[in-house]
Amino acid sequence: MGRSATTKDAQALFHSLRSAYAATPNNLKIIDLYIVFAVVTAVIQVVYMAIVGSFPFNSFLSGVLSCVGTAVLAVSLRIQVNKENKEFKDLPPERAFADFVLCNLVLHLVIMNFLG
Amino acid sequence: MARNLGFLVVALLVLASSCDSAIFSPVSESHRSAALELFSPIDGSFGSLEETYEALKTFEVLGIKKKPDIRTSACASVVDTLQSTSSALKDLFHALRVNGILKCDLSNEAFTGIESRLKDSLNAANSLLDFYYSIGGLMLVKDQTSVVHVHLGDADKIFRSIKALSQSDGRWRLSSNNPESSNDAAGIALETLAGVISLASSEIDHSLIATLKNDIAKLFDGIERYDDGTCYFDEKLVDARGHHGPLSASASVVRGVTAFAAVTSESLNLPGEKILGLAKFFLGIGVPGGAKDLYYQILALACLENIRGSVPLILSLPATVLSVTKKDQLKVRLSTVLGSSAPPLSVKLMQIFVSGSKDASIIDQKLKFDPDNSVHVLEKLPPNVNVGNYIFSFEVVFDDPEHKKNYVTGGRTKVPIHFTGIIKIDSAEIAVLDSDLGSIESQKKLELPGENAVALSANHLQKLRLSFQLITPAGQAFKPHQAFLKLRHESGVEHIFVVGNSGKKFEIVLDFLGLVEKFYYLSGRYEIQLTVGDSVMENSFLQPLGHIELDLPDAPEKAARPPPQPVDPYTRYGPKAEITHIFRAPEKRPPRELSLAFLGLVLLPFFGFLAGLVLLRANLKNWPKSTVPATFASLFHLGIAAVLLLYAFFWFKLDLFTTLKVLSILGVFLMFVGHKTLSHLASTSAKLKSA
């Protein structure tokens, strides 16, 4: 009975989360999708490293860091673009996007250098 | 000739090493060949007239018949000089000298002209050299022609003016202005004065000649000596005629004194031993290396050969190293300095000294004269002469006592002689002894010097004993300079021991117990080698005797290692050992298929992203419609694509600097278009919000 109650609670929680999430604006969903894509790519790289070993280590780091870095930048973009965030009320989203692009370009320059 | 040369070398060595006893030898073939070599004409002439005269005179004295033919060029030069009115006095003198030997064609008028010129120069002479050349020239003219009569009317005056330049110590100055006096000038002055005396038409004042004799005596008082009996006149000044050394100064004095002795009727009473000393000085040079030195030497010896009243006789030995075993006979030769034979005389061996000690024995034995070879032979050696170094003292006695007035022999002459012989080696044996007991384990007899190949073996508790006796031909015990025993290990390490002696017996005992450490604890085969040698031993030897197998205990931890043996120097530059490099093992790479599979797997999320975008109904509705913003927007995206393309190039090919350069350009461009686009979008959304 506990088990079915927990399952039911989990299901109910899941449903509520899902419906709440459906309410988010589309642009935020796009950003979330991008973040998920980056993280999945990072996970695949880690699994590969776990299988074949960490040589060359710099390449592994560079790959994982690129994914993680871009995910982080996307998160910060999401924070700044989110209309419900009172802190960034006066910041135009285009400006945030421009920062995102610039930081990504710098990140990828560093990544390409470190890739070797 | 080679033997003479070798003998000369020995003579010089002996001269250098021993005091008071030395060997001098008269002029020999080596002088003649040196003369031909040193005086060799260049382009048919010897150079100046002075050099021509030196060469010709040297050839004449040495009796060289086969001399280079320079007659034509020399005579041409002579005639030219003598007939020219502008020739200097010195050139006239030298030309006349050359003419005296070559006897070129000269007319009587020429001689008359020369004679008057010389007389004029004589009257105008004020330095010693002017007098010398004038008087010398007049003497030569007198000898070379009978037509011209040469007489000096005012001989006394000339004599006094020359004498005025003399000093109290017997030397002369070259001119009244020059305060420096020299022996060389003294010789020139004496020669000139002798010429004056011979040319004088009337008798010179006797007192003048007596004072001159005193001057000569004083000059000889200033003679220098070496330890071995040679005498010479030294010169330390450098004057206008060049640097003078003892050779030229002594030669000059000898010439002057000889010339003077020839013109005076009475004897000069020259100190005989000093004349002999001068002769030894000139002979002791050997064969000089320069032409001028050879000329001085030969000229001086020619003068000494004929000096009136004291012709030196030289005692020389053809061989100074004699073998007692071969019973070599001691030969002595007496001759004049130029090698001519001496008058009849006999040589007696008076004393024998042992070199290096005070032993001397008085012999008084006469040598037998061998007329065929003109040598005096000592037929039998005195009984106490053995191998070693001795000094023999000889005395010369003339058969005719009258000869004592004309010749000088120098009393006792000491000569060093080296006697060698074959040394007999007796009772040579080698044995291995047991220590403590001294009992012989193995003993072998040795034949020395001969082939020996003993094979012994010993351990560290035993001793090796080698003994032998050395006996001279006379039967006495002999102590050589060297007696060494060498043991050489097969690895090259050597040990040398000196064989000591007690009386007649030479013995060495090697106690291996004490030598274990010295031998570096090396066991194995040791080659034995014995060396016995001495300068008087004709059969010195260095011989392998055989080998000994030594059994030594093992080396303890702290023992000294044997010294490294010298490496063959040629292997230093040979090829070295091959070096094998150990490389780091390359990292294990994953199999290719696995990598490719994961590459595909990594690309999957991208497609998933695209699929998700489609699912979310992402669209491009906000793309600007009008042209300019649209261009900017597309340029913005193209710019980002270009940057990413640049990164791709950067990874494949480019370096960071190029990338940054291009990136800066692209970045500026991107900033510009991005700003334009985003500001347009911002303004559009603001309009929408406000609307």
Side-chain angles (χ1 to χ4, degrees):
Chain A
M1 297 324 164
R3 196 175 137 245
S4 59
T6 358
T7 329
K8 261 209 179 114
D9 283 337
Q11 269 187 333
L13 186 67
F14 183 67
H15 279 303
S16 69
L17 276 174
R18 203 170 159 192
S19 54
Y21 188 69
T24 55
N26 220 12
N27 54 350
L28 294 182
K29 280 196 199 154
I30 293 173
I31 295 174
D32 289 337
L33 180 65
Y34 179 75
I35 292 169
V36 166
F37 153 63
V39 170
V40 166
T41 314
V43 166
I44 292 176
Q45 283 178 75
V46 171
V47 165
Y48 179 66
M49 192 234 23
I51 293 175
V52 299
S54 70
F55 182 81
F57 195 54
N58 57 312
S59 313
F60 160 69
L61 277 183
S62 150
V64 167
L65 223 58
S66 121
C67 296
V68 169
T70 198
V72 164
L73 287 170
V75 164
S76 89
L77 175 68
R78 191 185 194 280
I79 291 171
Q80 287 174 352
V81 160
N82 200 353
K83 287 194 178 54
E84 284 162 28
N85 206 338
K86 294 292 177 276
E87 207 177 313
F88 292 100
K89 199 164 58 143
D90 296 323
L91 187 74
E94 284 79 18
R95 170 73 200 280
F97 181 69
D99 286 341
F100 172 74
V101 167
L102 183 69
C103 292
N104 255 322
L105 289 178
V106 169
L107 171 75
H108 283 92
L109 175 68
V110 171
I111 290 304
M112 287 314 239
N113 200 17
F114 197 52
L115 198 58
Chain B
M1 212 269 281
R3 193 159 156 268
N4 270 333
L5 216 64
F7 166 60
L8 271 171
V9 168
V10 170
L12 282 171
L13 283 171
V14 169
L15 180 73
S17 62
S18 63
C19 300
D20 205 31
S21 68
I23 307 226
F24 300 94
S25 66
V27 164
S28 64
E29 274 308 308
S30 45
H31 286 89
R32 292 190 179 86
S33 59
L36 282 168
E37 212 178 285
L38 290 167
F39 289 113
S40 55
I42 307 166
D43 292 337
S45 85
F46 286 114
S48 67
L49 282 169
E50 189 176 351
E51 285 159 15
T52 313
Y53 172 70
E54 285 173 7
L56 290 171
K57 184 79 183 162
T58 309
F59 291 144
E60 189 186 42
V61 169
L62 289 173
I64 296 175
K65 300 285 184 291
K66 267 192 73 186
K67 45 184 185 251
D69 186 24
I70 38 88
R71 208 192 145 78
T72 18
S73 64
C75 268
S77 176
V78 162
V79 169
D80 204 25
T81 314
L82 290 175
Q83 286 180 340
S84 149
T85 45
S86 60
S87 307
L89 183 60
K90 192 168 132 173
D91 295 328
L92 282 179
F93 175 67
H94 290 310
L96 281 168
R97 285 215 284 189
V98 175
N99 192 36
I101 300 181
L102 285 180
K103 300 195 183 6
C104 302
D105 252 336
L106 267 180
S107 61
N108 289 333
E109 294 86 43
F111 277 118
T112 327
I114 295 164
E115 195 237 348
S116 61
R117 281 190 59 199
L118 288 171
K119 279 259 178 70
D120 290 336
S121 323
L122 185 57
N123 292 332
N126 56 0
S127 83
L128 184 59
L129 285 173
D130 288 340
F131 280 115
Y132 174 63
Y133 291 134
S134 319
I135 301 284
L138 285 170
M139 284 206 50
L140 288 162
V141 166
K142 183 174 155 192
D143 287 334
Q144 287 167 26
T145 171
S146 52
V147 172
V148 183
H149 294 286
V150 183
H151 285 295
L152 287 177
D154 46 357
D156 263 9
K157 181 163 143 294
I158 299 168
F159 199 102
R160 276 181 226 279
S161 26
I162 298 173
K163 187 77 179 60
L165 292 168
S166 73
Q167 303 267 77
S168 56
D169 59 355
R171 298 190 196 185
W172 248 263
R173 285 171 289 145
L174 277 177
S175 72
S176 41
N177 308 336
N178 195 348
E180 286 174 0
S181 62
S182 65
N183 287 318
D184 185 57
I188 294 171
L190 288 170
E191 210 179 328
T192 317
L193 289 169
V196 169
I197 295 169
S198 73
L199 285 175
S201 49
S202 59
E203 196 65 35
I204 300 251
D205 192 0
H206 191 76
S207 59
L208 287 171
I209 297 183
T211 45
L212 197 55
K213 280 202 211 164
N214 277 342
D215 284 333
I216 293 176
K218 275 186 263 177
L219 191 64
F220 270 85
D221 281 341
I223 204 168
E224 309 246 3
R225 270 180 210 280
Y226 282 129
D227 281 342
D228 55 7
T230 57
C231 305
Y232 63 99
F233 288 97
D234 200 5
E235 204 80 279
K236 286 180 187 65
L237 69 90
V238 180
D239 68 9
R241 288 178 357 124
H243 181 254
H244 294 294
L247 182 56
S248 64
S250 312
S252 181
V253 172
V254 163
R255 274 181 73 164
V257 168
T258 313
F260 189 68
V263 295
T264 52
S265 47
E266 43 205 81
S267 82
L268 275 179
N269 290 333
L270 290 168
E273 43 150 287
K274 289 186 183 168
I275 297 289
L276 188 64
L278 279 168
K280 286 182 182 174
F281 171 72
F282 288 113
L283 288 174
I285 297 168
V287 179
K292 208 126 179 116
D293 288 343
L294 182 65
Y295 165 68
Y296 286 134
Q297 185 198 35
I298 297 298
L299 185 73
L301 290 173
C303 294
L304 287 171
E305 176 98 352
N306 300 315
I307 192 168
R308 229 190 69 183
S310 16
V311 175
L313 288 174
I314 303 291
L315 188 143
S316 58
L317 271 74
T320 47
V321 177
L322 302 167
S323 170
V324 167
T325 314
K326 290 189 211 140
K327 297 203 184 331
D328 287 343
Q329 286 185 321
L330 180 69
K331 295 192 180 121
V332 169
R333 172 176 282 130
L334 260 259
S335 65
T336 61
V337 292
L338 288 180
S340 324
S341 53
L345 46 80
S346 58
V347 180
K348 282 208 265 183
L349 173 63
M350 301 302 290
Q351 264 190 305
I352 296 180
F353 304 91
V354 177
S355 208
S357 79
K358 291 220 187 319
D359 294 347
S361 37
I362 300 180
I363 311 290
D364 201 354
Q365 184 176 345
K366 189 167 150 180
L367 279 74
K368 186 163 166 337
F369 182 62
D370 177 10
D372 300 325
N373 303 327
S374 54
V375 284
H376 300 261
V377 179
L378 186 68
E379 294 196 295
K380 206 163 73 80
L381 276 179
N384 55 346
V385 167
N386 210 341
V387 290
N389 290 319
Y390 292 87
I391 297 177
F392 279 28
S393 178
F394 294 99
E395 195 172 298
V396 174
V397 174
F398 287 105
D399 288 350
D400 182 3
E402 282 294 309
H403 285 139
K404 254 190 164 167
K405 293 186 196 159
N406 298 330
Y407 293 94
V408 178
T409 57
R412 294 273 178 97
T413 312
K414 291 210 181 102
V415 167
I417 303 192
H418 192 79
F419 283 103
T420 62
I422 292 186
I423 305 290
K424 196 154 79 87
I425 299 141
D426 244 359
S427 349
E429 59 181 27
I430 190 164
V432 173
L433 311 171
D434 279 322
S435 73
D436 299 347
L437 297 171
S439 63
I440 296 171
E441 197 214 290
S442 56
Q443 186 176 26
K444 300 266 168 63
K445 276 220 165 323
L446 296 168
E447 272 296 311
L448 287 171
E451 293 286 317
N452 286 294
V454 302
L456 302 167
S457 68
N459 60 32
H460 68 286
L461 296 170
Q462 293 174 321
K463 301 185 206 180
L464 177 74
R465 184 183 72 192
L466 171 72
S467 61
F468 52 89
Q469 289 181 346
L470 294 175
I471 302 168
T472 66
Q476 292 162 337
F478 178 71
K479 187 162 186 296
H481 289 147
Q482 300 171 334
F484 302 128
L485 180 70
K486 182 159 91 165
L487 287 178
R488 189 184 135 97
H489 188 241
E490 49 205 354
S491 69
V493 181
E494 291 177 346
H495 307 279
I496 300 179
F497 304 94
V498 177
V499 183
N501 75 320
S502 56
K504 226 188 222 187
K505 191 155 172 221
F506 278 81
E507 189 182 42
I508 182 170
V509 176
L510 293 178
D511 187 1
F512 292 122
L513 196 61
L515 289 171
V516 165
E517 207 171 306
K518 185 169 174 237
F519 280 21
Y520 305 108
Y521 296 88
L522 285 170
S523 300
R525 194 183 153 111
Y526 281 82
E527 300 286 330
I528 309 172
Q529 196 184 66
L530 180 64
T531 306
V532 174
D534 193 280
S535 64
V536 300
M537 194 168 151
E538 281 174 23
N539 56 335
S540 307
F541 62 88
L542 190 162
Q543 285 216 312
L545 296 178
H547 66 92
I548 178 169
E549 293 281 344
L550 267 188
D551 185 19
L552 300 175
D554 292 326
E557 292 274 322
K558 293 270 183 67
R561 308 261 79 231
Q565 292 312 301
V567 181
D568 181 15
Y570 290 109
T571 59
R572 193 191 297 187
Y573 301 108
K576 294 225 188 306
E578 190 84 23
I579 303 173
T580 49
H581 296 276
I582 303 170
F583 293 103
R584 191 181 64 168
E587 296 278 342
K588 220 167 42 132
R589 302 311 292 262
R592 205 195 179 113
E593 298 78 19
L594 188 66
S595 304
L596 288 171
F598 265 95
L599 183 68
L601 208 61
V602 153
L603 290 172
L604 273 181
F606 180 64
F607 294 117
F609 176 64
L610 290 175
L613 279 179
V614 167
L615 215 66
L616 284 173
R617 290 194 300 277
N619 51 43
L620 290 170
K621 284 203 188 118
N622 234 358
W623 193 271
K625 303 288 185 300
S626 46
T627 351
V628 170
T631 350
F632 277 127
S634 36
L635 278 177
F636 176 63
H637 286 92
L638 282 174
I640 292 177
V643 170
L644 291 176
L645 195 66
L646 175 70
Y647 288 166
F649 272 130
F650 172 45
W651 188 54
F652 282 118
K653 207 170 156 136
L654 298 174
D655 58 78
L656 188 62
F657 298 106
T658 333
T659 316
L660 286 177
K661 256 194 289 193
V662 179
L663 186 64
S664 59
I665 300 165
L666 278 178
V668 168
F669 166 74
L670 198 62
M671 287 286 208
F672 175 66
V673 291
H675 180 255
K676 274 277 189 265
T677 312
L678 289 172
S679 57
H680 175 259
L681 276 176
S683 66
T684 327
S685 64
K687 270 192 220 149
L688 222 67
K689 220 187 263 186
S690 61

